[in-house]
Amino acid sequence: MALSFKIQPFIFFSLLLTASASPNDLSCLKVSPINFTNSAEEVITNIQQVTSIFSRFTNAFGQPHLLNAVSDCLDLLDMSADQLDWIISATRNPTGKDNSTGNLSSDLRTWLSAVLVNQDTCIEGLQGTNVMGLVSTDLYRVMSSVKNLLDQVIPINDQLATATSSDQFPSWMIDNDKKVLQENEVTADVVVAADGSGNYSNVTDAVNAAPELNMKRYVIYVKKGVYNENVEITKKKWNVLMIGEGMYATVISGSRSCVDGWKTYGSATFAVNGRGFIARDISFRNTAGPTKDQAVALRSDSDLSAFHRCGIFGYQDSLYSHSNRQFYRDCTIAGTVDFIFGYATAMFQNCQIIAKQGRPGQKNTVAAHGRIDPNQPTGFSFQFCNISAENDTVPTYLGRPWKNFSRTIFMQSHMSNAIRPEGWLEWNGSFAFDTLYYGEYMNSGPGAEVANRVKWPGYHVLNDSSDADNYTVAQFIEGDLWLSSTGVNYTSGL
């Protein structure tokens, strides 16, 4: 069924940015490209070996926690092997399709970081199972090798002279796509309607129908309604655009939780792994409630993904921004404990961040970022956001350090009086006080006063715009290189 409707311009995102590479791309490597790719291939071999160990436990009937943990690990290892393949391909051919932004340094560091956190997520899920002792040595060996690879890539900010406004188009676009965008009209490939008036009555079937490794945008239009299902956009479903009829009109809802046998990673109502995903005017909800511990509404591993005017609603761990480069604009994100968490490089702009009422006596924390190596380019940056709470009497904090090198920045945002004067909450004693990086820059509102903030060595009040500029769209997620191709509005700098 064809359906035409008006949206803001967006570009059919492709991974083909051949004009963006320069002859000096490989200068970001401290070692020879051959040595670098040989080391990456050795990591793939190690991943294949540990995968064979996990395969022995796929029939652990009567042990749902173990089955779910093993299933998550197999998925994470599979994604890791693919990401290492991208790394090898981009290193061998810097002008090829796998060099997704044109900044080889940024791409390699992003993907290596994703491989690293995949192993860490697997290990977290295996805690308390009898499989942990069998695979931990192999998983830590993979992590060590990936850290070594990450150390071999020099951070280079080599942004290209690309379009930053929605009326300009990258050179690789074909003329027909430009015409469609200039007319500000697009046709859905499939329509989902709960009442049966579309191609599909559920979102999962529409996602499954999307072509694999697609180099053009595949548009799924989801009509208003509540869709009670758990949806996964798998790693080979590239360039999917999902459009609803409004944040509160089109809702995908689930209720998986850790209390009910799921690991955090697998509890997501909506999970996306495929590259270049865009969602707009739709909500993702987990209704497990405040007593069910971790229960994810949205999990994203999608590199160069964007979420525009989306709702992400849950309690503990609402949004799992797991890995890679992500952008959230004009979204509403609500929850209780660590309700925005993960290992990704994620930018939140013009978003409503709302702490909810949780269990009696529970403290709210907005962000719990996990960075496990100082060479990772990852972190959370909040700009032009509004941070508030449903109940200002519940102690609410900007964040706490989930991992050693946790990095979170709030800038040019409004904070209600729900934010405690100290601003940030410890994780466990003085853990990570010296190694984390937390920053605040030019925030406003009654909760933004920094006089009584924590005195941790890793906490910084940023007074210089040049420091804050490092955490803008252009610098932090290389947004000028790819966001103009999504049609999502954004502000490049401060």
Side-chain angles (χ1 to χ4, degrees):
M1 177 182 295
L3 178 69
S4 295
F5 51 95
K6 296 282 187 178
I7 63 168
Q8 291 293 323
F10 71 91
I11 287 171
F12 293 105
F13 172 75
S14 169
L15 301 179
L16 186 62
L17 289 169
T18 56
S20 64
S22 71
N24 297 320
D25 275 329
L26 293 174
S27 64
C28 70
L29 296 180
K30 297 178 182 178
V31 296
S32 73
I34 292 176
N35 288 340
F36 185 80
T37 56
N38 285 345
S39 295
E41 288 176 336
E42 289 178 8
V43 179
I44 292 176
T45 299
N46 292 335
I47 285 174
Q48 291 169 341
Q49 291 169 346
V50 72
T51 297
S52 67
I53 299 174
F54 276 114
S55 64
R56 305 175 197 167
F57 298 92
T58 54
N59 295 316
F61 296 111
Q63 302 180 65
H65 283 278
L66 177 58
L67 275 174
N68 288 329
V70 168
S71 177
D72 290 345
C73 284
L74 288 171
D75 287 344
L76 289 159
L77 291 167
D78 192 32
M79 280 197 299
S80 297
D82 273 14
Q83 288 155 346
L84 286 162
D85 279 336
W86 302 346
I87 289 162
I88 292 168
S89 180
T91 305
R92 288 175 175 166
N93 182 16
T95 61
K97 66 176 183 176
D98 288 311
N99 191 1
S100 65
T101 66
N103 184 334
L104 184 62
S105 172
S106 177
D107 292 341
L108 295 183
R109 294 174 72 231
T110 295
W111 297 335
L112 284 168
S113 180
V115 176
L116 185 59
V117 302
N118 288 345
Q119 317 314 306
D120 195 63
T121 303
C122 175
I123 290 169
E124 288 230 336
L126 290 173
Q127 297 299 326
T129 71
N130 56 5
V131 179
M132 182 64 179
L134 298 174
V135 297
S136 60
T137 300
D138 296 290
L139 289 171
Y140 283 121
R141 182 184 298 116
V142 170
M143 292 181 72
S144 178
S145 298
V146 175
K147 286 182 178 182
N148 289 336
L149 282 169
L150 191 56
D151 185 54
Q152 299 306 315
V153 185
I154 303 168
I156 295 177
N157 184 10
D158 186 27
Q159 293 188 56
L160 311 170
T162 57
T164 58
S165 63
S166 60
D167 60 352
Q168 297 178 356
F169 304 97
S171 60
W172 48 261
M173 283 194 65
I174 60 177
D175 290 339
N176 184 57
D177 288 348
K178 291 181 184 178
K179 182 178 179 181
V180 170
L181 295 169
Q182 287 165 340
E183 292 174 351
N184 195 21
E185 187 169 316
V186 77
T187 300
D189 291 285
V190 294
V191 177
V192 179
D195 61 8
S197 61
N199 303 94
Y200 301 99
S201 59
N202 64 75
V203 178
T204 297
D205 287 344
V207 168
N208 290 340
E212 294 188 345
L213 307 180
N214 193 28
M215 300 300 286
K216 292 185 64 176
R217 183 64 61 194
Y218 187 83
V219 183
I220 300 174
Y221 183 66
V222 187
K223 289 188 175 182
K224 65 181 179 181
V226 177
Y227 298 83
N228 293 298
E229 53 183 310
N230 291 86
V231 180
E232 181 177 7
I233 297 181
T234 56
K235 62 174 187 170
K236 292 186 178 181
K237 302 290 185 178
W238 291 3
N239 294 314
V240 172
L241 168 65
M242 188 171 291
I243 300 176
E245 293 192 336
M247 183 188 300
Y248 298 102
T250 302
V251 179
I252 300 175
S253 183
S255 60
R256 289 178 179 173
S257 71
C258 285
V259 168
D260 292 329
W262 299 90
K263 296 299 180 180
T264 305
Y265 188 82
S267 70
T269 297
F270 191 95
V272 53
N273 299 328
R275 295 165 77 162
F277 176 76
I278 303 173
R280 179 167 173 172
D281 295 317
I282 193 167
S283 283
F284 312 101
R285 186 173 71 186
N286 192 310
T287 62
T291 64
K292 291 295 184 77
D293 295 339
Q294 297 92 335
V296 176
L298 169 66
R299 189 196 78 227
S300 178
D301 291 274
S302 175
D303 194 22
L304 309 182
S305 56
F307 299 83
H308 188 201
R309 298 200 300 249
C310 289
I312 303 158
F313 303 121
Y315 288 87
Q316 183 171 348
D317 293 2
S318 300
L319 171 59
Y320 198 171
S321 182
H322 186 258
S323 65
N324 291 307
R325 292 160 289 195
Q326 307 177 15
F327 181 63
Y328 298 80
R329 170 82 182 201
D330 301 324
C331 293
T332 298
I333 308 168
T336 55
V337 179
D338 306 335
F339 62 94
I340 300 174
F341 82 112
Y343 308 82
T345 311
M347 186 88 199
F348 302 84
Q349 204 170 72
N350 283 47
C351 291
Q352 297 291 321
I353 312 296
I354 304 171
K356 297 168 67 174
Q357 180 76 52
R359 296 175 181 173
Q362 194 173 55
K363 299 175 181 178
N364 288 326
T365 43
V366 172
H369 184 258
R371 189 166 63 129
I372 56 181
D373 186 272
N375 289 318
Q376 290 181 282
T378 57
F380 291 158
S381 179
F382 297 83
Q383 185 184 27
F384 312 136
C385 293
N386 185 64
I387 298 94
S388 63
E390 290 180 343
N391 183 348
D392 287 348
T393 66
V394 177
T396 299
Y397 300 83
L398 297 175
R400 59 178 184 156
W402 182 29
K403 302 290 181 178
N404 274 302
F405 301 96
S406 177
R407 179 158 59 184
T408 304
I409 296 88
F410 286 85
M411 55 189 185
Q412 298 172 303
S413 294
H414 183 273
M415 300 178 184
S416 80
N417 57 9
I419 301 301
R420 295 283 299 172
E422 57 269 36
W424 305 82
L425 183 66
E426 70 279 357
W427 185 272
N428 183 16
S430 60
F431 169 75
F433 284 2
D434 295 325
T435 51
L436 60 80
Y437 186 94
Y438 289 162
E440 296 185 53
Y441 175 75
M442 290 186 65
N443 296 303
S444 62
E449 176 57 54
V450 297
N452 295 313
R453 287 296 197 247
V454 294
K455 307 304 180 185
W456 307 340
Y459 170 73
H460 306 273
V461 177
L462 306 180
N463 295 311
D464 191 329
S465 62
S466 62
D467 292 330
D469 195 57
N470 292 322
Y471 304 101
T472 59
V473 165
Q475 301 289 335
F476 197 49
I477 59 170
E478 303 278 344
D480 287 343
L481 304 185
W482 62 278
L483 272 175
S484 60
S485 70
T486 66
V488 177
N489 296 329
Y490 71 96
T491 300
S492 181
L494 294 171

